[in-house]
Amino acid sequence: MIVKLSFEFALDIIEFTELLEEKRKYVIANQILKSRTSIGANIREAQNAESKIDFIHKFKIAAKEADESEYWLLLCKFARNYPESEPLLNKLQEMKRIISKIIITSKAR
């Protein structure tokens, strides 16, 4: 589920960054695109982890990227003349909860 969710989220981010670029918000668009698509990339890498430690590590990186993504999206939310980011923030919160549960569950095993 998290693999599919993170992939769909990355697609949403691509569309959002295209809106930002149309508004000539290139710096923010670039930051968001890198951090947001990295979440899914790390989750995908975790699927082929060499060990439990490696699996947890990849998910921790995804969690860090999610936190960074949240920062950039909050900037968009509160800055003037930026596209609406609330739906993306809501999806991100859901992903952060799932990532956190996966990390906690994996550590407990």
Side-chain angles (χ1 to χ4, degrees), residues 21-82:
E21 288 175 351
E22 286 174 13
K23 292 183 172 271
R24 302 173 57 92
K25 312 291 186 191
Y26 301 114
V27 173
I28 299 292
N30 188 40
Q31 290 294 334
I32 289 174
L33 186 61
K34 285 194 291 187
S35 63
R36 302 290 293 279
T37 55
S38 179
I39 298 167
N42 280 288
I43 289 170
R44 290 285 296 253
E45 281 186 45
Q47 304 311 301
N48 295 308
E50 296 176 10
S51 66
K52 181 173 126 176
I53 293 170
D54 187 34
F55 179 85
I56 293 168
H57 178 70
K58 298 292 186 207
F59 268 92
K60 284 185 174 182
I61 293 171
K64 287 180 181 183
E65 294 295 338
D67 285 340
E68 180 184 344
S69 298
E70 183 177 39
Y71 173 79
W72 294 113
L73 285 174
L74 285 170
L75 282 177
C76 291
K77 178 181 177 178
F78 292 104
R80 284 184 268 147
N81 301 317
Y82 275 74

Side-chain angles (χ1 to χ4, degrees), residues 84-100:
E84 175 63 40
S85 64
E86 193 69 34
L88 293 172
L89 281 164
N90 292 336
K91 287 182 180 182
L92 182 60
Q93 289 304 315
E94 179 185 358
M95 284 181 43
K96 286 177 67 172
R97 281 190 297 274
I98 295 169
I99 290 168
S100 179

